[in-house]
């Protein structure tokens, strides 16, 4: 988000971050810079979230993986700092290394608002102007690699989903888009499109009976820092709630609602404006700060709802103000997930369904039985801005952050040993000593070609780090769940993969365990299943990988475009490495996942342009030889896929995506951490 302030920065993988803390540089190719020109002003009814989703869609279509994006143009005169930060924070979703904004008068105003001293603000202004970094209205255009342009006045209310943040849907088309997506999901699931007409199951909630059809919104969450630190969006949500309460509307009883602001300042100004009580009245009660539902920490649905979903084989939905809605991330029982602005999250909680033209149809009835439309409870920009002006001030930031590093009472009471070495608890199911350095020699061995490898998982396009290493709920009948049960952990104490990421035994069992993963070796299944070759036995991916390791057989991954998109999750590389994966061959990679693979000693290979699994006729049933690595600095290798049942090998050339000399050194050492440890040992 700092790029919204004109401070250049970007995310790195957790493995790179660990190495950086130990003094290693981050190496990268000098990036191309794409200019994004903004003009105009947001129209009445459009929000910063709508702008973000539009920008994300445009940049994904453009293709900016590994590039910097710089925003410019006179449209910035109308773009508040919080909105800029919201756009900057979505860089992983549109694939860029970063999306940066210039320093200008709006930046200085934000610094003053958030409690920076006059001398610091003056220094920022003087330095930026002296360096030529300060934007003036009508400023010249830099010489960019490429450009694109958006008149923000053309931005319209939008959602994104049901699986990816770049799949923007105009609000007026939300119902028809939902219907099309539902039909596709039912066909994929084997239910057939006729299941749409199946009678909806009945659920009993608080003494009343309700129908729960396909498309029911069962989770509505105002969550994640992307939107919930933006005053216009949060005040907007509060005003929608206020107007809804005044008309007698309530969230539908089957909707699980929650409010998780990105800052304690949000709590202050919602309370000061009197809007907290209205959010509370329709169910948006404060549950915490930061990531909750957006990272899969939504908690369980009620037993009645969960039972109805299973018995009716229902496709239900969530609507959240997060930045990621990948399959299986939000909740394992929720197959459709839509990103929306906080005010729209409130609106969909009131409507309770995706099967509604929310822009035109009534979302409920008032106390007199009259229909209430969204337009009637949607606040104007003037209402929002007037409220912000009345309740948001710099004193709130001073109050909330003056002792932010002190910690609360629970934090200060934590017992921690004053020792330089961590005291490992062998009985802990949360933190275990990882095996990365077991039997590591003082000097790295020679790089060897990969011979006789089997495909552990062949995958399609847009496989995210959530598919590879889920962060959400742990199923009791999964390898990770069985591991925990064997150690006396009850299912209601499983917590999540994300919370147990200090335990490699849990995380390696959770690798490729996303409930929505579709492995092409195990057609007709969802989740962590594969076939152990050459016999073809269908078993869990974890069990298959352990068999391959016992047999001394290396494994590889086949994938399509944008492999490893989404969160910069280091376990999406650590997990495969611990399963024995030696290489991945994909059409393209997201930047951080590619570097994480190298950091764990996994070879990232890329098909040549125009080639892929289908065009080469690869089934994943072959035995693979990867030849020509040399000392690890080779730019290309020869891959030979040998069919089990005879026939000619399929041979092709793949590009080695080890892009810098420093990355070559990491790969030669078996990973970045091994390289760092050897460097430290040498003094």
């Amino acid at each position: 988000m700092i790029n919204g302030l004109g401070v250049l920065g970007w995310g790195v993988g957790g493995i790179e971050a660990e190495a950086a803390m130990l003094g290693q540089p981050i190496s990268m190719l000098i990036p191309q810079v794409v200019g994004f020109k903004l003009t105009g002003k947001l129209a009445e009814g459009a929000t910063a979230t709508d702008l973000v989703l539009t920008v994300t869609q445009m940049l994904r279509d453009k293709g900016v993986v590994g590039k910097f994006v710089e925003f410019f143009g006179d449209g910035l005169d109308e773009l508040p700092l919080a909105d800029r930060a919201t756009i900057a924070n979505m860089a992983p979703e549109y694939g860029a290394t970063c999306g940066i904004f210039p320093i200008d008068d709006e930046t200085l105003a934000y610094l003053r608002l958030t409690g920076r001293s006059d001398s610091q603000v003056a220094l920022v202004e003087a330095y930026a102007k002296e360096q030529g970094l300060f934007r003036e209205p009508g400023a010249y255009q830099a010489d960019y690699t490429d450009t694109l342009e958006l008149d923000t006045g053309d931005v319209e209310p939008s959602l994104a989903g049901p699986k990816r943040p770049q799949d923007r849907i105009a609000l007026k088309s939300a119902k028809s888009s939902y219907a099309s997506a539902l039909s596709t999901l039912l066909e994929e699931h084997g239910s057939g499109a006729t299941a749409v007409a199946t009678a909806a199951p009945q659920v009993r909630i608080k003494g009343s009976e309700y129908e729960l059809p396909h498309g029911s919104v069962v989770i509505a969450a105002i969550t994640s820092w992307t939107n919930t630190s933006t005053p216009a969006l949060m005040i907007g949500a509060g005003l929608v709630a206020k107007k809804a309460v005044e008309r007698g509307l309530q969230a539908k009883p089957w909707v699980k609602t929650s409010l998780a602001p990105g800052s304690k300042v949000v709590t202050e100004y919602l309370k000061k404006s009197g809007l907290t009580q209205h959010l509370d009245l329709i169910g948006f009660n404060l549950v915490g700060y930061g990531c909750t539902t957006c990272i899969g920490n939504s908690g369980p649905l009620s037993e009645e709802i969960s039972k109805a979903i299973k018995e009716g084989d229902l496709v239900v939905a969530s609507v959240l103000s997060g930045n990621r809605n990948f399959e299986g991330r939000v909740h394992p029982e929720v197959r459709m997930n839509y990103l929306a602005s906080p005010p729209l999250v409130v609106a969909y909680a009131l409507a309770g369904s995706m099967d509604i033209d929310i822009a035109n149809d009534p979302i409920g009835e008032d106390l007199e039985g009259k229909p209430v439309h969204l337009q009637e409870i949607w606040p104007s920009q003037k209402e929002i801005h007037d409220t912000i002006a009345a309740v948001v001030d710099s004193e709130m930031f001073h109050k909330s952050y003056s002792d932010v590093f002190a910690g609360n009472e629970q934090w200060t009471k934590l017992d921690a040993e004053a020792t330089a070495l961590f005291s490992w608890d062998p009985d802990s199911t949360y933190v275990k000593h990882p095996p990365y350095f077991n039997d590591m020699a003082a000097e790295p061995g020679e790089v060897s070609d990969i011979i006789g490898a089997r495909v552990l998982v062949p995958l399609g396009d847009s496989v995210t780090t959530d598919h590879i290493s889920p962060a959400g709920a742990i199923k009791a009948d999964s390898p990770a769940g069985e591991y925990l049960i064997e150690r006396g952990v009850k299912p209601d104490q499983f917590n999540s993969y994300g919370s147990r990421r200090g335990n490699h035994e849990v995380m390696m069992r959770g690798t490729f365990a996303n409930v929505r993963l579709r492995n092409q070796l195990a057609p007709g299944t969802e989740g962590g299943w594969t076939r152990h070759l050459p016999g073809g036995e269908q078993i869990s991916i974890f069990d298959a990988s352990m068999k391959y390791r016992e047999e001394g057989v290396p494994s590889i991954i086949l994938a399509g475009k944008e492999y490893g998109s989404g969160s910069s999750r280091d376990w999406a590389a650590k997990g495969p490495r611990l399963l024995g994966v030696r290489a991945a061959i994909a059409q393209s990679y997201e930047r951080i996942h590619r570097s994480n693979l190298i950091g764990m000693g996994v070879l990232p290979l890329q098909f040549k342009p125009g080639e892929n699994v289908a065009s080469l006729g690869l089934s994943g049933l072959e035995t693979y030889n990867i030849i020509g690595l040399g000392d690890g600095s080779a730019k290309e290798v020869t891959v030979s896929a040998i069919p089990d049942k005879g026939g000619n090998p399929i041979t092709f050339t793949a590009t080695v995506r080890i892009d810098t000399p420093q990355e070559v050194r990491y790969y030669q050492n078996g990973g970045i951490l091994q390289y760092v440890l050897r460097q430290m040992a040498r003094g």
Side-chain angles (χ1 to χ4, degrees):
M1 298 182 82
I2 60 173
N3 291 280
L5 283 163
V7 178
L8 180 62
W10 58 90
V12 297
I15 299 160
E16 287 181 307
E18 290 166 1
M21 288 189 288
L22 296 171
Q24 287 300 303
I26 299 295
S27 67
M28 63 185 296
L29 298 176
I30 294 175
Q32 299 179 19
V33 183
V34 175
F36 197 124
K37 185 176 183 179
L38 295 172
T39 62
K41 179 182 179 181
L42 284 176
E44 191 69 50
T47 69
T49 306
D50 304 320
L51 174 59
V52 166
L53 296 179
T54 303
V55 167
T56 299
Q57 180 187 42
M58 292 176 65
L59 287 170
R60 268 293 175 190
D61 290 344
K62 187 75 171 178
V64 292
V65 172
K67 301 176 183 179
F68 285 10
V69 175
E70 184 170 291
F71 294 91
F72 70 100
D74 289 345
L76 296 177
D77 294 338
E78 306 292 341
L79 201 63
L81 197 290
D83 294 3
R84 301 180 189 188
T86 305
I87 295 171
N89 194 46
M90 286 288 278
E93 280 61 60
Y94 45 79
T97 300
C98 69
I100 190 167
F101 288 80
I103 300 169
D104 58 13
D105 287 332
E106 175 63 19
T107 314
L108 303 181
Y110 177 82
L111 293 175
R112 294 187 190 97
L113 173 66
T114 52
R116 273 67 172 191
S117 66
D118 291 341
S119 60
Q120 185 178 359
V121 175
L123 176 61
V124 170
E125 181 177 11
Y127 178 85
K129 287 182 175 178
E130 186 68 23
Q131 294 293 329
L133 298 174
F134 197 87
R135 184 190 75 90
E136 303 282 1
Y140 70 93
Q141 177 177 321
D143 184 13
Y144 295 110
T145 303
D146 200 354
T147 59
L148 63 168
E149 182 175 342
L150 172 66
D151 182 344
T152 57
D154 294 336
V155 171
E156 56 185 329
S158 303
L159 301 168
K163 296 180 182 180
R164 303 188 305 175
Q166 63 262 42
D167 295 334
R168 187 187 66 86
I169 308 158
L171 189 63
K172 62 188 178 185
S173 304
K175 180 179 180 179
S176 60
S177 177
Y178 150 76
S180 176
L182 175 64
S183 179
T184 300
L185 277 174
L186 291 172
E187 290 172 5
E188 290 177 352
H189 197 50
S191 301
T194 56
V196 177
T198 302
Q202 298 282 320
V203 292
R204 189 171 185 82
I205 305 172
K206 296 179 180 179
S208 298
E209 294 281 342
Y210 302 93
E211 283 192 348
L212 196 73
H214 289 305
S216 296
V217 174
V218 296
I219 294 175
I222 300 175
T223 177
S224 107
W225 56 80
T226 305
N227 293 291
T228 57
S229 294
T230 304
L233 294 173
M234 298 304 291
I235 292 293
L239 289 171
V240 170
K242 179 176 183 292
K243 292 170 182 283
V245 169
E246 290 171 348
R247 294 292 299 272
L249 299 183
Q250 288 284 325
K252 294 296 188 288
W254 55 84
V255 184
K256 183 173 186 175
T257 50
S258 61
L259 170 66
S263 166
K264 290 187 176 181
V265 174
V266 178
T267 306
E268 290 292 320
Y269 63 65
L270 285 177
K271 183 178 179 181
K272 186 176 178 181
S273 64
L275 297 175
T276 298
Q277 60 178 321
H278 298 103
L279 287 163
D280 285 343
L281 284 170
I282 59 171
F284 285 92
N285 309 104
L286 179 68
V287 296
Y289 294 91
C291 280
T292 52
T293 302
C294 187
I295 193 60
N297 294 330
S298 57
L301 300 174
S302 69
E303 290 185 15
E304 297 87 351
I305 299 295
S306 185
K307 181 180 178 182
I309 292 171
K310 291 173 184 175
E311 292 182 352
D313 199 16
L314 295 179
V315 177
V316 293
S318 74
V319 182
L320 64 153
S321 66
N323 54 352
R324 292 167 186 155
N325 57 335
F326 304 121
E327 292 180 293
R329 178 183 175 103
V330 172
H331 193 285
E333 295 173 351
V334 180
R335 298 177 63 86
M336 286 182 156
N337 303 285
Y338 291 89
L339 304 183
S341 66
L344 269 181
V345 171
V346 175
Y348 271 101
L350 299 171
S353 174
M354 293 303 304
D355 192 18
I356 178 177
D357 180 1
I358 200 167
N360 297 299
D361 294 342
I363 60 173
E365 293 183 348
D366 66 14
L367 297 174
E368 298 177 358
K370 297 178 181 178
V372 180
H373 292 79
L374 181 60
Q375 301 94 314
E376 298 174 66
I377 60 171
W378 196 266
S380 67
Q381 289 184 358
K382 185 177 186 306
E383 286 179 274
I384 294 171
H385 294 154
D386 286 351
T387 305
I388 292 172
V391 301
V392 182
D393 57 50
S394 61
E395 179 57 31
M396 290 179 174
F397 292 88
H398 281 292
K399 179 180 178 181
S400 294
Y401 292 107
S402 59
D403 62 348
V404 68
F405 295 110
N408 60 20
E409 183 181 356
Q410 290 91 335
W411 174 261
T412 57
K413 285 184 176 180
L414 284 175
D415 183 29
E417 292 184 49
T419 174
L421 294 176
F422 185 77
S423 180
W424 299 98
D425 178 0
D427 296 325
S428 174
T429 57
Y430 275 96
V431 182
K432 291 187 72 68
H433 194 298
Y436 307 131
F437 307 119
N438 290 357
D439 303 321
M440 189 186 85
E443 296 296 329
E446 292 185 2
V447 173
S448 61
D449 290 335
I450 300 171
I451 305 298
R454 286 292 185 176
V455 175
L456 183 62
V457 190
L459 302 163
D461 295 339
S462 298
V463 172
T464 70
T465 52
D466 279 272
H467 288 103
I468 305 167
S469 181
I474 300 171
K475 293 182 67 176
D477 60 353
S478 69
E482 291 169 356
Y483 167 87
L484 291 171
I485 290 171
E486 288 171 2
R487 281 148 187 82
V489 182
K490 296 179 180 179
D492 62 356
Q493 297 297 315
F494 277 3
N495 213 319
S496 65
Y497 284 110
S499 67
R500 292 189 181 271
R501 61 185 178 271
N503 185 337
H504 64 277
E505 296 286 0
V506 171
M507 298 307 289
M508 62 192 289
R509 286 167 172 77
T511 301
F512 296 112
N514 185 300
V515 294
R516 300 293 171 234
L517 184 81
R518 283 175 287 278
N519 179 358
Q520 295 168 2
L521 272 183
T525 68
E526 282 189 320
W529 299 98
T530 193
R531 288 159 67 189
H532 177 262
L533 302 171
E537 178 188 7
Q538 185 166 294
I539 55 178
S540 75
I541 290 172
F542 173 75
D543 288 339
S545 70
M546 293 300 102
K547 274 196 169 188
Y548 285 136
R549 294 197 67 166
E550 291 170 6
E551 297 162 354
V553 175
S555 58
I556 66 172
I557 305 298
L558 297 179
K561 299 174 184 175
E562 299 175 352
Y563 183 58
S565 57
S567 308
S568 57
R569 193 163 297 152
D570 55 346
W571 269 106
K574 289 178 177 176
R577 177 60 175 174
L578 292 177
L579 295 183
V581 172
R582 292 282 306 280
I585 313 175
Q587 280 182 262
S588 63
Y589 293 89
E590 289 291 276
R591 173 183 59 88
I592 292 178
H593 186 58
R594 183 199 64 82
S595 66
N596 274 342
L597 288 173
I598 297 167
M600 288 308 299
V602 178
L603 179 67
L605 300 177
Q606 191 161 314
F607 291 109
K608 292 291 185 179
E611 293 185 342
N612 54 45
V613 169
S615 71
L616 292 167
L618 303 174
S619 66
L621 299 173
E622 307 89 355
T623 301
Y624 285 74
N625 296 330
I626 299 172
I627 301 170
L629 277 171
D631 65 353
S633 61
K635 300 299 182 184
E636 293 182 344
V637 292
T638 299
V639 182
S640 182
I642 305 164
D644 281 348
K645 297 182 179 180
N648 295 325
I650 301 169
T651 302
F652 58 96
T653 302
T655 301
V656 178
R657 287 300 314 278
I658 301 177
D659 293 348
T660 71
Q662 189 67 20
E663 289 179 346
V664 172
R665 297 185 189 100
Y666 295 155
Y667 184 72
Q668 290 171 336
N669 277 268
I672 193 170
L673 298 179
Q674 289 82 350
Y675 173 82
V676 171
L677 189 58
R678 290 188 175 111
Q679 293 294 307
M680 294 172 68
R682 295 185 187 114

